[in-house]
Structure formats: C-alpha cells, structure tokens
Amino acid sequence: MAKFVYSFNEGSKDMKNLLGGKGANLAEMTKIGLPVPFGFTITTDACKDYIENGNVLADGIMDEVAVHIDELEQVRGKKFGDIENPLLVSVRSGTPISMPGMMDTILNLGLNDDSVKGLAARTGNERFAYDSYRRFIQMFGDVVLEISKSKFDKIFNGQKEKVGAEFDVDLSADDLKEIIVGYKALVKEELGREFPQNPQDQLEEAIQAVFRSWNNERAILYRKLNNISSSLGTAVNVQSMVFGNTGNTSGTGVAFTRNPATGENALFGEFLVNAQGEDVVAGIRTPQPIAQMKEALPEAYARFEEVAEILEKHYKDMQDMEFTVENGKLYMLQTRNGKRTAAAAVKVAVDMVESGLIDKETAVMRIEPDMIDQLLHPTFDAAALKANTAVAKGLPASPGAACGEIVFSADAAAVASEAGKKVVLVREETSPEDLAGMVAAQGILTARGGMTSHAAVVARGMGKCCVAGCSAITVHEDEKFMEIAGVKYHEGEVISINGSDGSVYIAEIPTVAPELSGDFGTIMGWADEIRDLKVRTNADNPRDAAQAVKFGAEGIGLCRTEHMFFEDERIPKIRRMILADTEEERREALAGLLPYQKEDFKGIYKVMGERPVTIRLLDPPLHEFLPKTEEDMKQLSEQFGIPFEKVYNKTVELHEFNPMLGHRGCRLAVTYPEIAEMQTEAIITAALEVKKETGLDIKPEIMVPLVGISNELKYVKKVIEDTAEKCFAAAGERLDYMVGTMIEIPRAALIADQIAEDAEFFSFGTNDLTQMGFGFSRDDTGKIIKEYVAKGVLDNDPFQALDQTGIGKLVEMAVTLGKQTRPNIKLGICGEHGGEPSSIDFCHRVGLNYVSCSPFRVPIARLAAAQATIRNKR
Amino acid sequence: MAKFVYSFNEGSKDMKNLLGGKGANLAEMTKIGLPVPFGFTITTDACKDYIENGNVLADGIMDEVAVHIDELEQVRGKKFGDIENPLLVSVRSGTPISMPGMMDTILNLGLNDDSVKGLAARTGNERFAYDSYRRFIQMFGDVVLEISKSKFDKIFNGQKEKVGAEFDVDLSADDLKEIIVGYKALVKEELGREFPQNPQDQLEEAIQAVFRSWNNERAILYRKLNNISSSLGTAVNVQSMVFGNTGNTSGTGVAFTRNPATGENALFGEFLVNAQGEDVVAGIRTPQPIAQMKEALPEAYARFEEVAEILEKHYKDMQDMEFTVENGKLYMLQTRNGKRTAAAAVKVAVDMVESGLIDKETAVMRIEPDMIDQLLHPTFDAAALKANTAVAKGLPASPGAACGEIVFSADAAAVASEAGKKVVLVREETSPEDLAGMVAAQGILTARGGMTSHAAVVARGMGKCCVAGCSAITVHEDEKFMEIAGVKYHEGEVISINGSDGSVYIAEIPTVAPELSGDFGTIMGWADEIRDLKVRTNADNPRDAAQAVKFGAEGIGLCRTEHMFFEDERIPKIRRMILADTEEERREALAGLLPYQKEDFKGIYKVMGERPVTIRLLDPPLHEFLPKTEEDMKQLSEQFGIPFEKVYNKTVELHEFNPMLGHRGCRLAVTYPEIAEMQTEAIITAALEVKKETGLDIKPEIMVPLVGISNELKYVKKVIEDTAEKCFAAAGERLDYMVGTMIEIPRAALIADQIAEDAEFFSFGTNDLTQMGFGFSRDDTGKIIKEYVAKGVLDNDPFQALDQTGIGKLVEMAVTLGKQTRPNIKLGICGEHGGEPSSIDFCHRVGLNYVSCSPFRVPIARLAAAQATIRNKR
C-alpha cells in the first residue's frame, strides 16, 4: 500500500512535490537538527487520491494519521484530547509551488470542552486556554465548517459590548467562556450538529477541508493566472503547537536572512513579544523590527541568528522564516527561499558569489529575467501607491510607471510637453502618426489593441510606459474626455498608469526614477560570459539604437524602414508615390524620399559602429499610409492638386478584406521594384558615405520581408544586387553586404531549403508566423485568446511566449532545412518573442545565432540567454 | 562531340524531347516504312546550346548539317542549289510539346536565281518555278529576315493591279519574275544586303530563325499560360520538298483517322487537288471533304486509307495527319495524336477498347479530366459563337454557357425567372443573400472576386455558369446598369457569358444542352473499377446532393451548415441570436433555428441514403450574418424592437480587421457552445428520425472547423458528445456517429498527432490551408497571384492546383502524424482542390481515403482518381 503520511524526520527539502514546500522544508530543518516542533505531513498523493475518489478520504489514510498522532503524543509526552496534558496541533496546507488562495492555518486543534480545562490547568492561565479554544472554534468554524466569519464576529463583538470591553484583551476568561457557548450554539444552528468534540474528528475534518481548498475558486484562479498545473495537489502539515503567547519570554515573528527590498546582508523582519502568529498579521499590535528582539529575547535572538545563518548556508539562498519563541526557547515553523525585489535579487546574488556561497552560474540563474524590467523603468513611490486604488486595468503592454495630465491627441501631447507639462496620451488606439505624441508623453494608455498593438510595440521600443487594451475605458477623442464606469475624465485631469501590471489610477502618484547598480553590471557581465546567443535590438532610429547599445545590444536585428515614412515631411512623399499613375511618377516621388532614408541609415550606422545592422525593406500594405477619413482625403487632394475622386478611388482600390494576408512585404517589391531600388540605394550609399566619413566598415544586412515563395526572394534579390552594383559603380568603391529574409510565412519554413539558396540569413518573424500558423489576427483575437486561456484551451498567449509545440516546429524545420542548403546560414529572431525568456530558451535550443528585441528588453534577453546556456548544459 | 543532327532513319517516336514531336514522328513513319520525303532533324539540344551561347550556332552544327545535306542529295538524287536538278527543302520548327507561336514553315528553301531556272526546266512549268521562288523569298523575308509581310504584299498587289489580275493565279511567270525583282530590291533596301543566294546560307539563317523563335513573345506567353518549361527548346526539321501543285494528279490535305468532333470511326479531313499546303490554309480555294479524294485521286486515296490504318494501329490512337500527293504518289508530312472534343475522346477510347486496340486503363488515361466539363454543361452553338466577339473577359469561374437578360439583383432575377424570362445575374460580387437569385439565373457574372469567391464556389456547386472577377466591368447595381469600356448596358439587355473561358458577349448566342452518352457511362464505370480514392461531394442541400449522387458521388464530404441560415425565414433568427445579450436569449433564438436545421439534414440524409455525410459546424464569423448598411440596420432594429444604436454597436463590436483570422470556426463553438449544441441536436435527431421513418442507418460525421489547438477539439467534442447523449436519451434510441475536424490551420497539420487523439477523421481544408500557409487572402490577392504567374514567380495559382511543395508538405505531415496516433483515421479533402486533377493525384499519393468536390466535378474527380491509380502504379 502507498505511504500517505511522512513524519518530519522522514522527509527532506527535495520532496516538495510529495510533501509540499512547507512540509519539505520542515522535514529538512528537522533533519539538520534545527528546533522544529515535531509533526508530520499528509502527502499531495493523498490529496490527489481524495479528489479522484470524489472528495472521499481513502480508508488507509486516517489509519496512517493515527499512527503518526501516536508517535507525536510520545515525542511530546502529551495526549490528543487529554484533560491533563492535551496535545494541540496546527493544521496547514502546503503546496509544491507557493500558492495563495489555499486554506488558512488552523491553530490549537485538539481543544474541546475537556482539554481546554487541561490546558488551563497546565499553563495556569485560564484566560489563555479559553482564548485559544474560542480562536480554534472560530477558525475551524470558518474554514472547515464554512460558517460565515461575520457570524462569529457578531457574537464576539456582542460580548465585548455587553461587558464594555474596548480591546479583545479586556475580555476575561468568563467572557470567553460565554463566547464559546455562543459559538457552539451558532455551529449547531448552522449545521444541525454539535461542534466536533473528538480531536480525531476535528483532525479528519480539517484535513479534508485542506484537500477541498485545492479546488476552491481563488486557488483555481491563481493557478490559471500563474500557469500552475491543477494536478499537483496540496499536502497537509500537522504540527504540534508551541505558544508564543505564554508571557514575556515568549513571542513570534517572521524574518528574512537579508533585506528583500535592497538585498542588504542583515536580518530583516518583525516580531511580537507574547503573541501568536496571527496577532502579527491582525494588526492589533504593531510588530517591532527584528533587531529589537536582541534586547527583548536575547537568548532566543542569538539562537535565531545562528539558525538563520545555518539555513542560508544550507539552502544557499536568502531565507524567509517563521518562528515562535515559547518560554525563551526558539521554534522554527517555516523556512523558504525569500521573494525579493529585482534590486535585492541582484545584490544578494553578487554578494553570495563574492562570499563563495554560490558560483556565477547559480547567481545568474537566481535572477528572474522579467524582473529586470523593474530596474530599467520608473516605478511608483511605494507609499504613495498604497494610498490609491486602480479604477481600471488594461494590459501591461510596456513596463514602468507614468503620471501626468490626460491628453487625447498626439498634437496636444506635443504642445503640452513643450510647455513643460507631463502628460499621458490616451487614445482609442495609436497609429504611426501618433509617434511624436508618444515621444512627448510620459506614458500611453489605449482602450483597444493587444500586447503587440502599435502602441505596445512602439512604447516598448522607446522603453515608455504603456497600458494597452484597457477595455473599461471609452475614449471620446474629439470631445476630449474618457469614461470609466460612467464617470467622465477630461483633458487636463491627472492620471497615473502602471505599465508593469496594467493599472490605471485617477490620481497623482509620484514616480521613482530607475538607477542601475554596479552589481547589476556585474551580473550582466557574468551573463555575457556564459551565453551563446547574441543579443540584438529592434530599432528604427538612432535614439533607440543608442539606448539599446547602452543596454548591451550587439547589433540591430530589425530596423523597420516604414516607420521612417510617417514623419511629417515624408508622409506626403510616400502618399504621392502611392497615388502615382506611372512608374515614372512613382520614381519621382521615391527620389524625394531617398535623401531622408539615407540620412536615417547614416545616423543608425554611426551609432551602431561596426555592429551588424539588419534593415527590412518596406513591409506594410500601402493603404496604411493613406488618409482614412474623407476630410483628410480632401486635404490631400488639394495638397497635390489631384481630384478628390482619384484619391478616394485609390483608397478603395487598395482596400483589403484581410490586409494581414494582402499586398505587403516583398509582394510590394515584386509589384513596384522601384521601391526596393530606392531603399537599397539608401542603404548602400549611406554605408559607403559613412565608411568614407568615419572609416567604419559597415556591412548592411538587407532583409526581404514576407517571403513565402523562393522566387520572390530571387526576384527581389536581383533588384537589390543590380541596384547595389550601380551604387558601387557610382561611388567607385564597394562594400560587403548580405541579403536575407524573414521567415514569417508558414510556407517559408516548409521550403526553407529552397529559400536558403538565395538567403544568406533567416530572421524568424514569429509574430506573423504565429498569426498565420494559428490563424489568429492579433488585432482581432485578443478577446478569444483571453477566453481560451481562461477556459484552459490555451496555456499561454502565443503572442507573448512562443508556442514551441506548433510554431516552434516550423522554426525548427526552417533551421534544419536552411542549414541543409547553407550550413553557415545566419539565424536570428526578430519577433516580439525575441525578448521573452522561455522563447529565448527555445531559440538557444534550436541553435539560432541571435535574438533581437526592443532596447529595454536587451538586458533581459542577455540574462535569459545565459540562463538558457546553463539550463541546457545541465 | 555531341550529335546535333539526326536523319529521319535514325530517330523514333520516343525521341520527342530531342527531336521535337514532328521530327520524332517523321522518323517513326520512316522507320515503319511509310512514304516520308527524306530529311533530318536538328535537335533541341542544338537549340539550347544556341541560346546558351547568346544566339550563336556552335561550330560543329553546320558541319553536321552539311553531312546530312550530302546524304539527302544522294537519296533524292538532286543537288542543293543546282541549276539542273535542284534539291529544295522545307524548314519547320518542332517542339517536344505542341506549341503555337513558334516560327512558321519555310517552303522551297534552296531556290535562287539559278536553281529556279533548273526547277522550271525540270518541271517544264516556269510559272510554278517562279511562283515557288517568290513564295520562298516572301516567307523567308518575313520569318527569317523579319521584314514586314505587308511590304511584300504591297509589291505583290501592286503587280496584280498593274496587270489587272483578279486572282493570284492570273499572274504569269513574267509577272512573278517582276515581283521577285521587287522583292529582292525590298530585301536589299531593308537589310543593306542581297537576298541570300547560297542555299547553305539560306539554311543556316533559317535554322537560326527557328531557334530564335523559341524566345519570341508569343512563344514565351504561350509557355507561361500552359506551364511549359522554357528549357525544352525546339528542334528544326529539314525535309526535301514534294509538290502537290504539279497538276491534277497532285494535291495536298490534312485528315484525322476519326472524326475529332464526334469520335465516329471514319477518315475526317479536307484536301485540295493541285495545291501546296499553304493553299489549304489561305482560304483562296475551298478544300473538299477527304472522302471526295477517293474519286479525284483514287490510288493515292487507297494508299492514304492504308497508311491511316497503319498509323492508328501503330500509335494506338487517333491520328492527325498531313500529306501531299505528287504526281499520284502519296507522301506523309506529319502525323500526331489528334486533338478531339470530350465527346470524341470518350467515343474513340471506348471504341478502341472494344476493338481490342487499347486496354481499359489506357482508355481511361486518354480522357483529359477537365474536358469532361464540356459534357456536363451547356455550350454555345459553335456557328453562332463564331459570329460574335467577346467584349470583356473574366475568370472562368464555373463552366458552361449562359444567355439571358441582364439583371442586377437577386430579387429581379427571381421575378424575371418566374415570368419565364432567362436572365444573367450581374453583381459587383455575390453574397449568401443572393442565393435565390443565383438559382433563378442562367448564369452569374461578377466584377470582383476570384476563382474561390462566393459566386464561383456556389455556382460550381450548382453547376451553373459563372464568370467572376471581370474587372473590365463597372457595376452600378442601384442605377441598374453596367459599363464596359465606357459603354453602358442596362437591365433587360441580352448578354451571353462563357463560364469555361470567361468571355462576355453583348449578344444572344444560343446554347446547346449537354447530353451524356452511354460511352461516357462506360468510361466512368472503368474509372470506378480502377480508382482507389473515393469521391464525395460538397453539398449543402438535397438538390445539390441529388445532382451529385446522379454524377456518382459516394457521400458528402462537406455540408456547410451556414448556407442554411441565409434563407429568408431564417436570417432574422440567426440575427436575433447574434444580438442576444444573454445565453438564455441566444438559446431562445437558436431554438427557433433548430427545426429548420433538422429538416435540412433530414432532406439530405434521405437523398444520400446510407452514404456517409460530413456536416461542418457553423464556420463564418458572425458579422457575416448582420446587415451591412445603416438602412438595413434600421430595418432590423425596427423588426426586433431593438434600439438602432445597439444593432450598430454590435456590428462595430464584431468588426474584424482580418476576419479570415478572426472569430470563426470552432472558436464560435468555444465562445457560444449553445450554437454547437443546437447544431448537434439537429444533426442527431434528424438522423434518428430518418432512421425511424425509413429504416436507413444514418451515421453522421460531425466536423469541427478551424481547429488549430488540440484543446479546441476536446472542448467542442465534449459539447457534441453531451448533446448527442441527451438526444439518445430523449429518443430512447442510439446511433453511431463520428467526430472529426478540418485540417485547415497550418498549426493543425503540425500537431495532427495531438488532434488525432480526439478526431476520428481529418478533412483537409486546403483553401484555408493555402491562404494561411502562403499568407494570401483569396479575397485580396487575385491580382498579386496573376502578376506572380505572369512574372514567373509562381508556376500556378495555388488556389486552383494544390501547391504540393509547400502546402502539400503540411498535408503529408498531418497524414503521417494523424496515422501515428490513430492508424485507421479517415482522411479526406474538401477544399476546392478536391476536384482538380493534379491535386487529386497528390491526394492519392499521400494516401487519403476520399476527395470531395462540387457536384459537377464529381465525374472529373472519379476519372482523375482512376488516372492517379494508374499513373502511380506504373
């Protein structure tokens, strides 16, 4: 028969899956001789069995429990339910992965009408005994019997009123006895049966309640939100009680071995003299800093310092501990690796390497890559934040915190910003024309659009705070107000937004600027030594490029040329090009754009030095550049002296039912080779000129987007090569350049061997690959994906973390096929996934050469890449 | 050194790639002892060599030619350029695959100012000799020297006028001599050199001209349109001349061994006494039916009958022959397999099997599957058609011919049709609401939309003639006229359209109804014996299903349930469902639809008997069912008593940027399981009721569309199963049914092993698989694909013939993975490709169980499936 119960002296820290985190660590502490009140753990297997049997405990389990209770009685020299010297226990849940939302602790289990007397006699403290009993009934009634807490509170407060007691402590033992009578009557009334007097029954009911709580709503929700498997189950820890509330030589506390906010190497925590665990939390008395325990309980403190040091050395990580002191003696109730801020994580890791506790690889593995965001962006002042409640929640589209006056247009943002005001740009959704306004704003808030909407992508590129797709907001851009839950907020009112969690506040919350420590540099240096993947950035302008270089980018993996066309001076020229009737007219308009593009590239080359720069040819469908409203069309028609009808007809002609699958990418270059010619000329001559001016040896990588057919690349490559030759001839000088393609059409992955005949590099455009591979338009399916994740149809949003099962298979195929044709083909990724740690791990495993991501994710990618190397080596 | 020239006695019919079709068959006829004027062939390799060398003849080639000319001189006992007895030759191109657009024939090569005298003396016919010479100069001047034909005509007609000659034959030898002087002067003037007098030079120039003509514009265009590789090259045939114009014992003609229009087993052709080949074509004299040759040239005719029989037995196929009779002696100039109508192809094949000439498999291989269309649809009366010219050309979206008055709305079509009028429905593009009008019309003409647009798909389903995407037409539906090239055509005017070639005529052209012969049944019966693939049909209603069964469909592979929602009584109910606020309201509306759906399915089941029927759950995005214009929305709002704003907001809410990749397919069923429930209930209870009423054992196949994630299918399958169980419980009876899925999302193919855990069958939706695999929206990329095919980027439109390289790879993966999980998984295809022969061949090769196509393509698919079996066995 399976073993369902483990004594604390049978387990170890490596048995978390079976014993839960708490149980495993209690066993571990027991094993290494630390003072742990004895007890045992009922395994997660028992829980699974319970659930599989339709919430029925298997026969053997309570028998096993009985055996362990016997053992406990012997160890403690007390008896369960005894009137002389009763054994009391706590019952706590313990999951393999830390998980709020599970059943709370039950203390003092084992008390009944008889044993309470024994406890009173034994401690000589009747009030303490009855207070313990009434607490037990209350906790048990609430969490096991599921009687509303407020009903107990009513009885309790009734008694207080009756006797004129101000505080709980003002109640006497007799008052408490009366309360107990009331409690028991309540239980009988609610359940039609007496409050269980038999400690065995109490225990069995408590165990079942813990198991049931695995599937309560909060727990299910938490698991879904955090991608925790629902098949893990919870363990139950039964531990003999120790009392911190027996007098002034007792107490209870929680502490970290180091400061979890800063990482400083000193005990950090709180304690209360003469108190039980729950009192610390209840907030009735203010706990004292842990350092003061040295005076209050000097011996216990000394022992605690010792234990803390032992634990940190043993676990080789910062510990988060709970303890109780009973009559001067220290008891450890819990230890676990402590949660910490990014800053603390960095400092602790570096300190531990320096003290020889861990090695560099371990240090690098200790930092959660996504946490690094905290270090790079402004955050809200923690105190100020506490005082405010979010009025709405959107998607955490680009991390950081922002605070400013609401503006509803890019122009307004620019004007206000010039006037020295801080503003938050609020839009239905942004478009490329809002760029200047986005630069001017502190942050961006949109009502529509997902994690890869225009606002999100551009904001991340800039490292600017952005909350996107906040559907609770209705934006009335023309009338200059927005509505949330029926309340209107006008231009000029101050809001604050948190791009790291999507919260929106109608309040002025001060922000704190980020500061990078030397430890951060140290960790990143170690990561760079370790990682195999190169890290590039997606950048379309010198500003972003410079930011990325500062963050350690080793090149540009994606420079989107279309973003350059939206600036005020340029958009008319691209529109003229689109409205052209003949190739000649088109060439004329393009000639006007050439100098701008060339200057753009020169600027970028100069920032990047000899780092590789991948430039993508024009990608979006041309209709994106045309005005949307009739009014704007009229204006355009006047501007160019072109009949309105012609402008209108052109937009109708270019309209597409599914622009995602329309006339874009290299298809534009096949139809209008002159566009690719102009861009190639700009790319090549810019490189030649920079070489001449600075001596830098620029080797541009020209990337042809949206190839799905090998001949598309052949066709465009010829245009590029012919143009490049002309440029070389004109300049009387040559340079090396590469031509490659994005692999973003599913078919491209399938025929990558053919494409590699012409492509010198592949850059995986996993955004589009995901869109087409799943058949999900990211502009439309935000809601569906949310629903899918909620219903468990999808584990993750595949636009956030690369779907390794399906889309990853396409990537792998393309890698294999591409290398078949061209063994030294350069391989990278430039989709949004290039900055996401699990996706970076995948990229490492399939053998890409680099990942590319937005500038502010470069440090994250560097760290994640190092972790991938370490993880996959192990 | 390579051999570039083959004598006719060196080659054979199997050497088409090297000698071209004409040369190979001349060699073959020589080999089997038929009377062929001796000659030789310069190979296609020589042509390729010529082109690769930049249009320069390799050194050795003309040396080889000289050797063969020597041989020819010896055989014929004549000398090239001889003044006494000159050898004259014809020079003709000959390609491996028959190909118009290549260089024309040059006759009488070898004549010059001297040898013409020899010819005159030898034949005693001066006029004949000089007429031959002037013809030679004229032909050579035109096709080799590239001097405009009209310039020669001007000289020729000038002479006629000058001497008052009405017909060419009225010109005397002296007149012809004068013309020759004029011709030679023209050549000198145009080229600055004399007309070549040296026969060797003439021959070399002619050979080069043939080679060059491989890359003339017409030839390139023809190759592109017909998918002929440009690397094949052409051969040149040099053959000694025989003359059919030496008097009344001579003549020339062309004939088929059987009637190419009907297949009747009797010589069919024309001849002319005392004429050269070109005279038959020139139309100056009216040729006589071949039968009359029996009287005019009895001996030659008897010999020709003999030769024809030998050839047909030798080639085991109907032959298309050219011959000349010189002084009573028959000479064969060409033979090849004759082109024929579908009717003839069927009759010839069956007759040949019956006479033991070929076996059944050969007979089945002889019918071009696509030609069968001719037998199933009305065609234009051939004579009437000749008198008309198309005013516009669209896509041949659904074959057949139609003639009727123009109508611009479905309602008008219905009204006119009820009044007994024949109409052609002309629309910008059709939508599901036009269905009744499409049924009422003779044919459908649309200005937009491709081969897989709504109009095209539905028309093919009905077997109704349709020309789609005719962009030359501007349709003004409201004003009831259309415009073509500036001319307006109003409702009521009569047009004719040809769905087989896309032509549009402003004329009444009578149509001929199709008639199926017994021979057709015989061939189809043989095909059925041979083929491995089953053939099902795509049908959404009993009418189409019955038609398909008549054509031999063995089941329904795709029944689209959404088509059932568009009928007048139903569309309000589906709209009510979409506008519902709560699940309850939605269920109420759905309950109203249930009886209709159930009756639909009962009707289909009854037609199909126990043949399998695959029913697809609702697929299109819901906004397709909502009104598009504000006016219609207002009407809807009044109809339901729902505020206009709500209707409007709902349409805005449901709007999608890329509906193709939006909220459709099984995603609807996950969001609104109640829709899937209603449909399942209709499917199952209909089957139960039909079983009860008729005893038929119906086993419905329920198909879940657009699955890309294995959990989607799990989720929907559970809904289906739970509902089915409820139906069984209610009916007190069970039946078998299957649940399967479409594989139409690229990711589905990649994870087909996971999907097969729940799917009992896969049906490949290769339309969507092509759309997403290529990233081509079929609604948008018609123009791009056209351009791609024109520029050689794509060989074929992948929406017409399945792209076996890329999309086919996905299909193969899914087949392999699916069988891994479920070895007996049922596999079919229900995309448009299911009726296309090359795609059917692919389906056979990858091991599908069936193809499914529109009813009128069922016979084509049966034949193509049989051919696939034969082809892949060989």
Side-chain angles (χ1 to χ4, degrees), chain B residues 538-554:
Chain B
N538 299 351
D540 313 332
N541 54 59
R543 185 191 62 237
D544 288 359
Q547 177 67 65
V549 168
K550 237 169 73 187
F551 282 149
E554 295 165 293

Side-chain angles (χ1 to χ4, degrees), chain B residues 49-70:
Chain B
D49 188 85
Y50 176 80
I51 290 165
E52 273 168 26
N53 286 334
N55 287 5
V56 173
L57 272 182
D59 286 344
I61 293 179
M62 285 314 293
D63 296 342
E64 267 194 82
V65 166
V67 171
H68 283 83
I69 286 286
D70 281 352

Side-chain angles (χ1 to χ4, degrees), chain B residues 156-177:
Chain B
F156 190 76
N157 293 329
Q159 185 68 20
K160 271 169 84 177
E161 258 177 55
K162 188 173 147 193
V163 303
E166 189 181 351
F167 296 109
D168 293 3
V169 286
D170 298 337
L171 292 169
S172 69
D174 285 342
D175 292 335
L176 293 165
K177 284 180 191 167

Side-chain angles (χ1 to χ4, degrees), chain B residues 370-529:
Chain B
D370 278 330
M371 284 181 71
I372 291 184
D373 255 349
Q374 291 177 17
L375 303 176
L376 309 178
H377 299 281
T379 45
F380 284 130
D381 176 79
L385 184 62
K386 267 193 187 161
N388 286 286
T389 312
V391 293
K393 203 133 187 176
L395 298 168
S398 180
C403 175
E405 295 180 11
I406 306 173
V407 290
F408 292 103
S409 74
D411 288 347
V415 169
S417 162
E418 268 171 40
K421 284 184 191 166
K422 293 190 168 182
V423 297
V424 171
L425 177 61
V426 180
R427 302 279 292 163
E428 180 74 16
E429 48 192 333
T430 62
S431 76
E433 289 155 57
D434 293 330
L435 204 67
M438 294 174 75
V439 171
Q442 300 297 304
I444 297 111
L445 169 62
T446 68
R448 285 185 75 164
M451 292 295 290
T452 49
S453 62
H454 177 268
V457 171
V458 174
R460 283 198 293 274
M462 298 177 181
K464 186 146 294 185
C465 166
C466 174
V467 172
C470 185
S471 53
I473 298 181
T474 326
V475 181
H476 303 263
E477 289 168 3
D478 295 340
E479 294 94 338
K480 300 192 180 173
F481 71 91
M482 63 177 190
E483 233 178 298
I484 304 176
V487 183
K488 291 180 182 173
Y489 302 96
H490 294 85
E491 192 155 297
E493 295 191 44
V494 174
I495 59 168
S496 298
I497 58 173
N498 185 347
S500 305
D501 71 358
S503 299
V504 177
Y505 305 87
I506 305 293
E508 184 170 351
I509 311 181
T511 59
V512 182
E515 204 178 316
L516 289 181
S517 69
D519 288 337
F520 176 75
T522 304
I523 283 275
M524 294 309 293
W526 294 339
D528 291 346
E529 285 168 23

Side-chain angles (χ1 to χ4, degrees), chain B residues 809-847:
Chain B
K809 210 166 182 178
L810 284 175
V811 173
E812 275 185 273
M813 282 179 69
V815 167
T816 307
L817 292 172
K819 284 187 173 173
Q820 246 170 47
T821 303
R822 192 185 287 267
N824 64 344
I825 191 165
K826 211 165 168 180
L827 301 167
I829 181 175
C830 64
E832 290 284 317
H833 299 114
E836 191 279 325
S838 74
S839 311
I840 292 171
D841 193 88
F842 173 82
C843 293
H844 171 88
R845 275 182 278 124
V846 299

Side-chain angles (χ1 to χ4, degrees), chain B residues 694-769:
Chain B
T694 64
L696 285 170
D697 205 6
I698 312 290
K699 187 181 173 187
E701 301 179 353
I702 302 178
M703 181 152 75
V704 181
L706 215 75
V707 166
I709 303 163
S710 53
N711 278 342
E712 286 175 322
L713 181 58
K714 262 193 218 314
Y715 190 97
V716 181
K717 191 181 182 183
K718 183 153 181 352
V719 172
I720 293 170
E721 288 177 339
D722 291 351
T723 308
E725 287 305 323
K726 276 185 207 157
C727 298
F728 297 152
E733 193 167 6
R734 305 186 64 83
L735 49 73
D736 285 340
Y737 66 97
M738 291 171 86
V739 177
T741 180
M742 292 199 49
I743 301 287
E744 55 186 332
I745 297 259
R747 189 177 187 273
L750 298 166
I751 58 151
D753 46 347
Q754 289 179 19
I755 292 177
E757 283 170 21
D758 293 291
E760 293 170 270
F761 62 86
F762 285 169
S763 178
F764 289 94
T766 47
N767 292 352
D768 275 8
L769 209 53

